[in-house]
């Protein structure tokens, strides 16, 4: 066999799902070249429309990349209602409803400049891919799968095979990021166990319902959770806010075979007899809560579903993957540009793994929040026995599923406790609640959003490099120590800018005179004055060991 063709790249991204393309986009936004290989011939070709819910932190990232408007335009119609309706079927009893306003009826929460949006992955993933192509810094190769990988102290060599041409070649990268999904070849190649539990096997059908003519009490649902005497048996979700829906038959401990399972019976049970529909595809998937034992092996990093899986109850999977990207993008840039140390790679694992486990645990709790078979046995009964059962189940679902629909705490309240590149200030952590988010500039947390006098958000200050925020009197009190931070950063080539903020209410929210914010918008350090050992502080937060 002759010598294989050879290519080189600073960062090789394996997998062109939403997480791979988001990472390529974040790197390109930072001016970094990368290469992305995707096994399939295009983006989002799967039979199943998976994620539809893009949460606040993901949209904050899209806003930074300049694509939030496109996501909004590509997603659901703005006035499509968001309610979760609990019913026996679409021609049956209504048990209850969690009212969730449409995008146009909702204000952005006070804690963020953005609203969460609904956008199916078959729109979102190609939109990310287009934004990557526009920046012309990523060598994207479709129909190219990674076969094997070897790493040494200086880099990683990967063998890539093209399905159509049979061509094989090698790629040498400084860093490789596995974004190759839950079945990750790379994770297995580097020998990382995937730890956790299998929850159940599901089957989902994509269906087109041209005219869903519902009685008034069933209208306004974005999602219908369908309850029978056996408990919750199916979930019908609007995928595009128009006529495409996904019906998922939930909860089998056995693997269901789409070839033999009669999905049409289930569809008719859900919609009612006589409702015209077109079944487009049926696909099986596995619900699990797993996390890679480590998110980093040498120069190979795991991100997205290759690093963690979670039940879709809560819609955290893709959003958690975008959180991985937010952490990795600046770290890889710092390493490639030479101002970051190897400690960043270690920190990535220590920062993101606990967040993934936290989010997955919440998703599993939501899954277990469904009603039990025992509670549901009279749900279809006529008369007062049935009526009482239906009221009880409806109320139970409204209460127990609130943490699935209202997740600002999950989305904005994650923190990088114990990270070696965060300098703790001794203050206690605020409660970590899935629903309620308490803004704080405590080191490790996302620096809070506040509107500046010029109409920008504080979040608009962050992204490209570190930012030293100086508050209130700080501007007049600028001492030699403050200057030293900037001078030292310049000396070591670490991008750091200083922003003076005069607004007293923002100073109050950030609590300290000086707050140093990382490129991902998380607080690295804060204090009333610059530290004695400025080089020591900067080495810590850029992962350089001394
Ligand atoms: C029914 C359902 C509903 C969901 N709803 C939500 C939701 O509302 N919100 C949410 O946040 N998440 C949701 N999720 C989860 C979400 O879809 C996933 O978390 C997300 O797709 C993960 O993205 P990824 O890029 O990490 O992996 P994937 O989307 O799996 O992409 C991996 C890519 O890598 C490619 N690949 C694999 N192996 C190789 C190789 N060797 N070489 C090259 N390429 C390779 C694959 O072809 C694929 O394109 C849902 C999931 C399901 C099943």
């Amino acid at each position: 066999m002759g010598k294989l063709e050879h290519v080189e790249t600073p960062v090789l991204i394996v997998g062109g799902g939403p997480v791979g393309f988001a990472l390529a986009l974040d790197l390109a936004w930072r001016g970094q070249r990368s290469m992305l290989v995707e096994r399939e011939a295009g983006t989002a070709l799967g039979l199943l429309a998976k994620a539809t819910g893009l949460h606040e932190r993901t949209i904050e990232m899209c806003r930074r990349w300049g694509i939030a408007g496109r996501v909004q335009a590509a997603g659901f119609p703005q006035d499509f209602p968001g309610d979760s309706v609990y019913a026996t079927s679409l021609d049956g009893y209504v048990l209850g409803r969690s009212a969730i306003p449409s995008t146009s009826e909702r204000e952005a929460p006070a804690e963020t400049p953005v609203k969460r949006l609904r956008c199916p992955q078959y729109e979102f993933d190609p939109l990310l891919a287009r934004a990557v192509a526009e920046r012309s810094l990523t060598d994207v190769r479709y129909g190219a799968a990674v076969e094997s990988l070897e790493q040494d102290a200086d880099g990683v060599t990967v063998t890539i095979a093209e399905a159509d041409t049979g061509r094989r070649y090698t790629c040498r990268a400084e860093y490789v990021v596995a974004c190759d999904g839950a079945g990750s070849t790379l994770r297995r190649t580097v020998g990382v166990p995937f730890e956790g539990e299998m929850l159940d096997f599901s089957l989902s059908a994509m269906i087109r319902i041209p005219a869903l003519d519902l009685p008034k009490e069933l209208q306004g649902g974005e999602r219908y959770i369908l309850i029978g005497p056996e408990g919750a048996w199916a979930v019908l979700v609007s995928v595009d806010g128009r006529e495409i829906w996904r019906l998922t038959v939930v909860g089998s401990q056995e693997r269901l075979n789409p070839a033999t399972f009669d999905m049409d019976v289930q569809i008719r049970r859900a919609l009612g007899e006589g409702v015209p529909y077109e079944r487009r595809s049926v696909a099986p998937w596995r619900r699990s809560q797993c996390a890679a034992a480590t998110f980093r092996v040498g120069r190979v990093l795991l991100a997205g579903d290759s690093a963690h899986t979670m039940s879709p109850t809560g819609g955290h999977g893709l959003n958690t993957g975008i959180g991985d990207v937010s952490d990795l993008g600046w770290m890889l840039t710092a390493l490639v540009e030479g101002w970051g140390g190897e400690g960043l790679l270690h920190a990535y694992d220590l920062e993101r793994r606990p967040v993934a486990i936290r989010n997955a645990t919440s998703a599993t709790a939501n899954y277990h929040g469904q009603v039990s078979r025992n509670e549901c046995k009279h749900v279809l009964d006529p008369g007062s026995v049935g009526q009482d059962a239906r009221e009880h189940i409806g109320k139970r679902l409204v209460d127990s599923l609130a943490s699935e629909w209202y997740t600002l705490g999950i989305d904005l309240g994650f923190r990088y406790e114990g990270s070696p590149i965060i300098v703790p200030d001794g203050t206690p952590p605020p409660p970590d609640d899935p629903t309620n988010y308490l803004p704080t500039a405590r080191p490790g947390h996302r620096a809070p959003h506040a509107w500046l006098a010029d109409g920008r958000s504080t979040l608009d200050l962050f992204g490209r490099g570190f930012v030293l925020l100086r508050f209130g009197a700080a501007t007049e009190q600028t001492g030699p120590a403050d200057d030293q931070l900037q001078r030292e950063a310049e000396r070591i080539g670490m991008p750091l800018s200083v922003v003076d903020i005069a607004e007293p209410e923002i100073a109050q929210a950030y609590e300290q005179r000086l707050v140093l914010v990382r490129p991902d918008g998380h607080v690295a350090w804060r204090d009333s004055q610059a530290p004695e050992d400025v080089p020591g502080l900067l080495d810590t937060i850029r992962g350089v060991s001394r």
Side-chain angles (χ1 to χ4, degrees), residues 159-414:
T159 307
I160 297 167
E162 289 179 352
D164 280 359
T165 60
R167 194 168 76 99
R168 291 171 77 241
Y169 54 95
T170 55
C171 172
R172 177 78 173 167
E174 288 173 54
Y175 302 96
V176 171
V177 188
C179 302
D180 53 344
S184 177
T185 309
L186 264 71
R187 188 186 64 232
R188 278 182 275 119
T189 307
V190 292
V192 176
F194 212 31
E195 298 166 345
E197 65 173 317
M198 221 291 298
L199 296 166
D200 70 26
F201 293 97
S202 292
L203 268 188
S204 291
M206 299 298 302
I207 38 186
R208 190 174 81 87
I209 312 174
L212 192 55
D213 190 13
L214 294 173
K216 195 158 187 321
E217 67 274 17
L218 273 156
Q219 287 173 8
E222 180 205 298
R223 171 184 315 262
Y224 295 88
I225 297 194
L226 303 178
I227 311 292
E230 71 271 54
W233 64 274
V235 181
L236 181 71
V237 180
S238 172
V239 170
D240 65 350
R242 295 176 179 88
E243 51 182 28
I244 307 297
W245 295 77
R246 185 183 69 224
L247 181 76
T248 299
V249 179
V250 274
S252 167
Q253 291 307 309
E254 309 274 304
R255 200 179 283 274
L256 300 170
N257 181 351
T260 52
F261 187 84
D262 194 345
M263 199 67 180
D264 288 304
V265 168
Q266 309 298 328
I267 296 173
R268 287 197 297 272
R269 180 180 175 193
L271 304 184
E273 293 294 336
V275 176
Y277 69 89
E278 174 199 335
R279 199 187 77 190
R280 293 200 160 168
S281 60
V282 179
W285 54 278
R286 207 168 82 145
R287 188 190 309 264
S288 62
Q289 178 185 341
C290 292
T294 172
F295 285 14
R296 179 244 169 154
V297 178
R299 289 168 171 267
V300 179
L301 293 313
L302 308 180
D305 276 19
S306 82
H308 43 72
T309 56
M310 52 197 83
S311 168
T313 38
H316 302 314
L318 187 159
N319 290 295
T320 306
I322 302 293
D324 300 341
V325 166
S326 159
D327 212 32
L328 258 188
W330 77 270
M331 291 179 175
L332 290 172
T333 301
L335 284 155
V336 170
E337 289 180 350
W339 55 268
E342 228 190 86
L344 293 178
L345 298 178
H346 182 50
Y348 169 68
D349 172 46
L350 294 180
E351 293 188 349
R352 290 307 302 172
R353 196 168 174 276
V355 174
I357 291 171
R358 158 195 186 261
N359 296 0
T361 305
S362 175
T364 302
N366 292 332
Y367 175 60
H368 291 316
Q370 300 280 8
V371 276
S372 68
R373 172 185 288 263
N374 211 19
E375 286 170 284
C376 298
K377 58 185 174 209
H378 297 299
V379 71
L380 294 177
D381 287 5
S384 64
V385 172
Q387 183 60 25
D388 288 353
R390 290 188 284 277
E391 273 174 25
H392 164 80
I393 295 164
K395 189 167 175 328
R396 258 269 283 121
L397 286 170
V398 169
D399 291 347
S400 67
L401 297 185
S403 61
E404 186 167 340
W405 319 132
Y406 307 103
T407 61
L408 203 60
I410 290 280
D411 299 315
L412 302 183
F414 59 98

Side-chain angles (χ1 to χ4, degrees), residues 468-471 474 482 485 510 512-516 525-531:
L468 178 66
L469 299 176
R470 296 190 303 192
F471 288 102
D482 291 8
L485 265 166
Y510 276 71
Q512 285 289 7
R513 191 178 78 86
L514 298 172
V515 180
L516 190 50
W525 165 89
R526 66 175 179 174
D527 209 336
S528 57
Q529 55 186 21

Side-chain angles (χ1 to χ4, degrees), residues 72 111 131 135 141 146 296 319 340 415 466 481 523 530 542:
Q72 179 152 340
E111 299 86 351
R135 290 187 178 264
R141 300 181 180 209
V146 165
R296 179 244 169 154
N319 290 295
R415 67 283 308 261
F466 280 80
V523 175
R542 68 189 174 112

